[in-house]
Structures are given as structure tokens and as C-alpha cells.
Amino acid sequence: MIRRVAFLIMLFCTTLAPATAAQWNVDYSKSRLGFSVLWSGQPFEARFKSWKASIIFDPTDLTHAKATVTIDLDSETSAAPDNDDGLKGAEGFAISQFPSAHFDATGFESKGGGNYLANGKLSLHGVTRQISLPFHLTINENTAHVTAKVSVSRTDFGLGHGEWASGTTIAREVAITVDLTATKSH
């Protein structure tokens, strides 16, 4: 009798177990994570050379989808090394105190036509804010390609003090851009 009850409990639990969404491995050589902002009225674009992403995603099982991205802020680079040094210093990212940024997406919505919304928390410069990241996804067999862009206010994250706090020299709105290629784990 005990064996039958144990078997029925095990059978019940396995039928209620959630589906396993696909794990994706980012191809960092084909992927790019960066940002752009108006600096002295001119576009300033930068990218991060070092970042890691853990992605579990299946378009047919958004309930179990999640993504975590960790960005090494010291890896920021642009065509203007003097600006890079300033961005990494005390008035910018303050990498000695805040060496990384994190995005944790735990809620996803389909918007149709390969368009989705990742809802999660962005932690940067010791501040965490809720953001929604719209992205476009195409999957071709075992390869996925994602493009995304979202604007955030740098001052919401405490970036820029003194003369840099105003939007006069450096705009407050910063566009975060993602161009990601990944392959499905087997």
C-alpha cells in the first residue's frame, strides 16, 4: 500500500513538473552590448568587451523563461579613450566601487511577430530599477538572433554628479543596445 501511494505521488509530481525551456549559449564573437548618448550634442557610442549572459527561453513557454546578464563596466570602450577614462571614474561608473552592472529578467511577454518584452531589474552604480526591454527574436533551427534597444535615464542610477548631473553636456537619456547571437544547448 505504501509503495502504491509513493508511486502515485511520484507520478502526480512528474505530470505537474514544468516544461524545461531551452538554454541558450551566447556567441560573444558575434554579439554586441553597448550604449549611446548625446555628448556635447554629438552621438557617443560605446560597447562592453566583457559580459556574460545566462538565458533560458522558449517562445512557447514564456512562464519559465529567464535571463541574467552581468556586465564588466571596466571593459567599456569607444573611439574616445579620454571619455572612456572619465566614464569609468568617480563621476561616471565609479568602477572601483561598482565594477559591474546586472540585468535580471524574470517576466516575458509576447508582442507578436517575433517581438517580445523582457521585464526585469537593472542594477547599476548601486541602484536597482525596474525596466522593460523590448526585443526582436528570430530563431533559425538552433540559432537565435536578438536585437534590442531601450532608453534609461542615467541620473536615475546616480550617474553624473556636479556639472555632469544636468543634461547640458551629456544627455540624461542613454540608449542601451543589444545585438546577440546564441545557439541552443542540447
Side-chain angles (χ1 to χ4, degrees):
M1 176 73 170
I2 292 176
R3 285 186 186 166
R4 273 192 230 168
V5 170
F7 175 75
L8 289 174
I9 291 171
M10 184 180 75
L11 181 64
F12 180 73
C13 289
T14 57
T15 59
L16 293 180
T20 303
Q23 174 78 36
W24 295 88
N25 299 316
V26 176
D27 183 341
Y28 295 99
S29 67
K30 294 180 181 176
S31 301
R32 180 180 161 99
L33 174 62
F35 65 93
S36 60
V37 64
L38 285 178
W39 194 316
S40 297
Q42 299 297 314
F44 174 82
E45 294 185 9
R47 68 179 184 92
F48 297 99
K49 295 185 290 184
S50 179
W51 53 281
K52 297 291 178 209
S54 172
I55 302 167
I56 297 173
F57 189 86
D58 181 339
T60 64
D61 184 16
L62 296 180
T63 303
H64 298 101
K66 60 183 176 177
T68 302
V69 180
T70 301
I71 305 160
D72 175 4
L73 296 176
D74 192 33
S75 73
E76 179 273 333
T77 185
S78 74
D82 290 341
N83 290 353
D84 296 339
D85 291 341
L87 277 169
K88 295 174 188 178
E91 297 296 319
F93 293 137
I95 61 169
S96 62
Q97 188 176 0
F98 307 106
S100 60
H102 304 278
F103 178 62
D104 294 308
T106 54
F108 291 83
E109 301 172 40
S110 174
K111 297 297 184 181
N115 296 303
Y116 296 87
L117 194 63
N119 299 302
K121 294 181 180 180
L122 176 62
S123 299
L124 172 65
H125 203 252
V127 177
T128 300
R129 298 270 189 242
Q130 188 75 28
I131 69 166
S132 294
L133 175 69
F135 67 95
H136 182 77
L137 168 69
T138 55
I139 298 176
N140 186 3
E141 296 181 17
N142 290 326
T143 302
H145 183 242
V146 171
T147 55
K149 183 176 183 179
V150 66
S151 289
V152 298
S153 174
R154 65 178 173 81
T155 55
D156 285 352
F157 293 92
L159 292 170
H161 302 284
E163 68 178 293
W164 306 111
S166 79
T168 306
T169 304
I170 302 173
R172 287 192 173 123
E173 291 301 308
V174 177
I176 300 170
T177 55
V178 179
D179 189 336
L180 181 144
T181 299
T183 54
K184 189 187 295 187
S185 293
H186 294 281

